[in-house]
Amino acid sequence: MEESIKDLTMAAFDRFSDMPVHIVHHIMSFLPITSATRVSALSKNFNSAWLSYPVFDFDQALYEKVIRHSGYWTSFKKPDFLDFVLDSLMKHCPSDIYMQRFSLRAWPLEISYNRVQNSIRLAVDRNVNELVVEIVEIQGLRLTNFCPLPRTALQNTKSLRVLKLSGFSLDLEDLIPCLNLVEDLTLDCCSVSGSSMFSRAKRNFMFSSAKLKDLKLRFCRELGKIEIDALNLQSFSYTACHIEQRSCEINLSCCKKLKSLTIEESNITDDWVEDHVSKLVLLRNLKLVACKNLQKFEIVALNLQTFSYTAYDHREQHPCEFNLSYCKNLKSLTIEKSNITDDWVKDHVSKLVLLRNLKLVACKNLQKIKISNRQLESFELLQCEKLLKAKIEAPNLISFDYSGDALYPNFPNIILSSTLANVKLSLVTTEYQRVSFLDLSTFLTRFGHCKTLSLSLGTYQALSVTQKLSEYLVHPVLLDLRHMRVELWSLCLSSSLTGLLDGFLWLAPNLETLFISVQRKSLMLHLEFYKWGPRGEDHIIKKVTIVKYEGRDDDKKSLLNYFHEKAITVEANSDC
């Protein structure tokens, strides 16, 4: 009986060795390259599969950190990174292999373009499916020299589906051999010139592709016009090169199946938005960022589900008005640095009956807002510095995040109707500001009915705990709160961890869990009670379990004495 059980156990454990190689490769494809390397030690089969793994990722940052600083190359000179890449490809990549992915990230300092080009040619000869080559900036060093991409580099490609290039100089004709194959194309920080059929002075980016589904153009220089004829294109993202003042035209009129559109730092106009968006009947996601020519536009997109708008912010807030009345199916809305008013929020949010997620960031004109939406589940209200009051009538709200200045009495009056909300409050202070516990408790009063409360005070001396709270507060303010999390950078000199604990247990006497983090100290407690209700002179807390503690031993000793003085039973996990 024991032998049969042992045999079954060994058979179950050895199932890794019976896996087909392509299944092992599939498992490895979900892992970072370092983790995939460790997997090779699980079994002989895994080790053999690793040696034939058709994915090659080379990162110079990782190479300099791990390989060059290891003791492997002690007997002879450590090879240059690109020499290491070519040597590895020649050793572990036979000519008959079908390479799934080749990824190369190299620094521009003293780079050999010839070796980069040879690496690309080698990957293409191995029928690479995904090709990612990036000449990346390091430590703020701006890329000034671009690696030329020879026309012959991609001429023989047969199976390329994903192409991502960064830091290259290329002509449209360089891409023609692979345009009918590639489904995902990304050009980042490249110098792109136009087709020979147009004047080179215009630098047109114009091509057609039947298979292209995803196109990203970021910080590409010398672009005068972008015209794309791709019937199956579903996602297009464009970020203008900020160092160039020349305008770039974008024409997407032939992209009838576009579902996701992102335009950043472009000179598109109100007419462009209204004309193009209205014709993209399948558009689901639209993101407009820092487009300074936008002043007053209307989004006509009946199927739009996600809209994100970030205003162009240069010293003063950029004036721009937009109308979302026709976006009846909108589910997610983000507005940042905009001059929207209280009335705009009231009118639009209430009419978006399917809205689930709302995010308002740095909208300086908001003062007294009212949110009324029964479907709203997530609301982020961040850095709206003039906000005085926010009334949020959203009974199904699950998540509410607020961040703002912690200088009392400028705390806004926030009225939250939902009892399901997980509330996160991030209060920002300067080094010279001090928020008393009494002032903080007044602000927290509005959140006692919520499901959980997370409080973050990020600056030095942000909180001063009053030792005799009962002299100032008539009764605790967070009676219904069960779970609380407090994060501080540090305490003022007159405060302690036990003082902080005592203060928050007074404010929220019926907590089931409490987590406190101060710099490198952290404490997590689970509390049990004799009965529910506000605390009087008799102790309600029956037992405290220290789930987690990280800090000094003398602080832990003070913590235990604090509970023992109150006749509270204390238990601790084995790792505390």
Side-chain angles (χ1 to χ4, degrees), residues 101-112:
R101 182 174 73 238
F102 174 69
S103 175
L104 173 63
R105 291 172 55 88
W107 297 341
L109 298 175
E110 301 179 1
I111 193 170
S112 172

Side-chain angles (χ1 to χ4, degrees), residues 526 530 541-545 563-564 566-571:
H526 181 269
Y530 284 109
I541 299 178
K542 175 182 179 181
K543 176 182 175 183
V544 171
T545 301
F563 288 119
H564 290 158
K566 297 180 178 296
I568 299 174
T569 303
V570 180
E571 289 187 0

Side-chain angles (χ1 to χ4, degrees), residues 56 99-104 116 119-124 128-134 149 153-154 157 159-166 168 178 182 184-186:
F56 295 84
M99 189 183 293
Q100 180 178 340
R101 182 174 73 238
F102 174 69
S103 175
L104 173 63
V116 173
S119 300
I120 295 176
R121 289 190 181 96
L122 193 148
V124 170
V128 64
N129 185 266
E130 180 178 346
L131 179 62
V132 181
V133 185
E134 300 174 278
L149 180 68
L154 301 175
T157 182
S159 57
L160 193 61
R161 295 293 179 269
V162 178
L163 176 61
K164 299 181 181 181
L165 300 176
S166 178
F168 281 81
C178 64
V182 172
D184 185 349
L185 174 61
T186 299

Side-chain angles (χ1 to χ4, degrees), residues 10 18 39 93 109 111 138 162 201-202 225-226 241 273 365 378 511 547:
M10 292 298 294
D18 295 332
V39 169
C93 187
L109 298 175
I111 193 170
I138 55 171
V162 178
K202 293 183 179 180
K225 184 176 182 180
I226 302 172
C241 183
V273 172
N365 288 347
S378 173
L511 289 175
V547 180

